[in-house]
Amino acid sequence: MLRNAYLDVLGIDRWVPRNAVEPGADAPAASEAAPRTAATGARAPAAEPAPRAPVVAPTPLPPGIDWGPLRERVAGCTLCDLCKTRTQTVFGVGNTQAEWLIIGEAPGAEEDRQGEPFVGRAGQLLNAMLLAIGLPRETVFIANILKCRPPGNRDPRPEEVSRCLPYLSAQIALLKPKVILAVGRIAAQNLLATDAPLSRLRGKLHTFGAANTPLVITYHPAYLLRTPADKRKAWEDLKFARATYRRIVGGGT
């Protein structure tokens, strides 16, 4: 079934009644009839770091800036001290006509080297998450709150976010996405200017910006790699985002 294919892509265990046969599947041998079960004895999921205070409001870029000039502005940005430690800026990647915008926190070490967001193990998991709801990576646009890597992958500082958010706001204005999917606590809190924990932000439909773009919150793929028990919750978030998109466009993806 399609639902089971989604769960398999995400690596989420499925509970199957003993001796049950899925539609279209061969009957299992006796030794294969036992259900797939989640791992037992695992430690409780680690909590995400404590929330941070809201950031100050960013100053917008001149209206009407296009992709080329915006990319140049980002590449040459020196508005905060991250310009002194970066290898290169990470502008974002994907379809500039995309109806889905995925927003993360900040580049990591590999992203800083390659100049593209979500290219490591977390990026592979993000690709699988998107594919699970019918979105190959090349059909969406992916960006971060920060365009430069914070040293040691520390949390972004409020002044860094306030100086970098106008770039993201300009990208959103150019894309005009139907849905924004924010992955991780820091992305969510900065987009919503809140210090509420991720647990209170998930499962609700938020909006962003003057266009009131629908915004859905889920876990960061790096967190899910550390805490795979929460993949099932992430799957619920993805289904919620997909249902939101379908409601907006009046059809399937």
Side-chain angles (χ1 to χ4, degrees):
M1 292 185 296
L2 187 59
R3 175 180 178 275
N4 291 338
Y6 291 152
L7 296 177
D8 288 341
V9 168
L10 283 174
I12 297 176
D13 292 317
R14 293 182 280 117
W15 294 91
V16 181
R18 189 179 299 275
N19 298 324
V21 180
E22 296 181 4
D26 294 332
S31 61
E32 298 172 342
R36 296 174 60 192
T37 59
T40 58
R43 295 180 180 179
E48 290 203 355
R52 297 166 56 243
V55 302
V56 297
T59 301
L61 288 169
I65 189 169
D66 207 349
W67 287 106
L70 179 60
R71 185 181 291 273
E72 292 176 5
R73 289 281 293 270
V74 169
C77 182
T78 57
L79 293 178
C80 76
D81 286 343
L82 294 181
C83 67
K84 301 175 182 177
T85 57
R86 73 190 182 211
T87 300
Q88 59 186 315
T89 58
V90 180
F91 180 78
V93 68
N95 183 354
T96 55
Q97 303 296 320
E99 295 184 323
W100 285 72
L101 172 60
I102 317 301
I103 301 178
E105 171 188 338
E110 193 61 33
E111 289 78 10
D112 180 61
R113 282 191 290 268
Q114 297 191 33
E116 182 174 324
F118 288 96
V119 294
R121 290 181 61 224
Q124 294 172 6
L125 179 54
L126 176 64
N127 293 347
M129 292 168 65
L130 294 173
L131 195 59
I133 54 173
L135 295 171
R137 181 181 174 102
E138 61 270 17
T139 66
V140 305
F141 195 89
I142 304 174
N144 283 313
I145 295 291
L146 293 189
K147 306 304 186 190
C148 298
R149 179 197 180 201
N153 292 343
R154 61 162 171 76
D155 286 358
R157 293 171 178 163
E159 65 273 15
E160 296 165 350
V161 173
S162 67
R163 291 167 185 173
C164 210
L165 263 183
Y167 297 132
L168 179 62
S169 297
Q171 289 175 314
I172 294 173
L174 286 167
L175 278 170
K176 298 179 175 62
K178 295 287 195 302
V179 173
I180 296 174
L181 180 67
V183 295
R185 172 186 62 87
I186 290 177
Q189 289 180 342
N190 283 301
L191 289 172
L192 296 173
T194 181
D195 59 1
L198 193 70
S199 59
R200 286 175 48 193
L201 300 176
R202 291 180 50 252
K204 301 175 183 178
L205 184 59
H206 307 274
T207 60
F208 178 81
N212 290 320
T213 304
L215 171 63
V216 176
I217 309 298
T218 191
Y219 296 101
H220 195 285
Y223 169 80
L224 294 175
L225 288 172
R226 300 191 304 270
T227 317
D230 280 342
K231 283 185 176 181
R232 187 170 293 275
K233 294 179 183 178
W235 170 237
E236 295 301 319
D237 297 334
L238 294 173
K239 290 193 295 182
F240 178 50
R242 182 181 60 188
T244 298
Y245 172 81
R246 287 178 171 175
R247 185 170 62 252
I248 291 169
V249 302
T253 55

